[in-house]
Amino acid sequence: MESAKRSGIIHNMVKLAVGVDSVEMLYERQQTRLFDYHGRRATMAWTARRPRAHEAVAAGGSMYWVIKNHIVVRQLILGFEMDAAQTPASWSIILDPGLIRTLAPPRKAFQGWRYLQ
């Protein structure tokens, strides 16, 4: 992990937007989850396990969202926090609420999240 930070590698993540049919629908869903995160607006997504490379991801990485088998939008990842209120405990992926549209390369179906080069 430390070697990744020293070498300047920034990890990105890719995640399926389950039950979401459009970027607008993702935006609307995330607007209901806005909160203050260390003095800035943020929203969140969840994952069962914290990524091993979480420090490198939070140091400038982005979440790329897959909607209808295409990566269509990304968000800056601000950090990760354990959500002990969930049973079993899960991790919150803290995201900047700004959505940045991307070119839409196709993406095969998968579960959970993946790192993106």
Side-chain angles (χ1 to χ4, degrees), residues 28-114:
E28 289 171 11
R29 181 179 286 184
Q30 289 186 350
Q31 290 301 297
T32 66
R33 301 177 185 154
L34 291 176
F35 66 100
D36 180 75
Y37 181 72
H38 304 294
R40 67 188 290 180
R41 284 178 35 149
T43 188
M44 69 177 73
W46 292 270
T47 186
R49 295 188 178 126
R50 182 184 70 185
R52 279 184 249 155
H54 69 279
E55 290 174 338
V57 171
S62 291
M63 174 69 73
Y64 286 79
W65 289 101
V66 176
I67 299 174
K68 293 191 170 185
N69 297 325
H70 289 81
I71 298 172
V72 296
V73 68
R74 72 178 178 90
Q75 289 177 281
L76 181 65
I77 296 174
L78 303 176
F80 296 85
E81 290 191 5
M82 186 174 178
D83 189 352
Q86 298 289 327
T87 306
S90 64
W91 286 86
S92 298
I93 306 169
I94 312 301
L95 303 165
D96 183 278
L99 298 175
I100 303 163
R101 290 190 184 254
T102 65
L103 296 177
R107 187 72 180 196
K108 291 182 181 178
F110 61 92
Q111 288 187 324
W113 56 266
R114 301 287 185 267

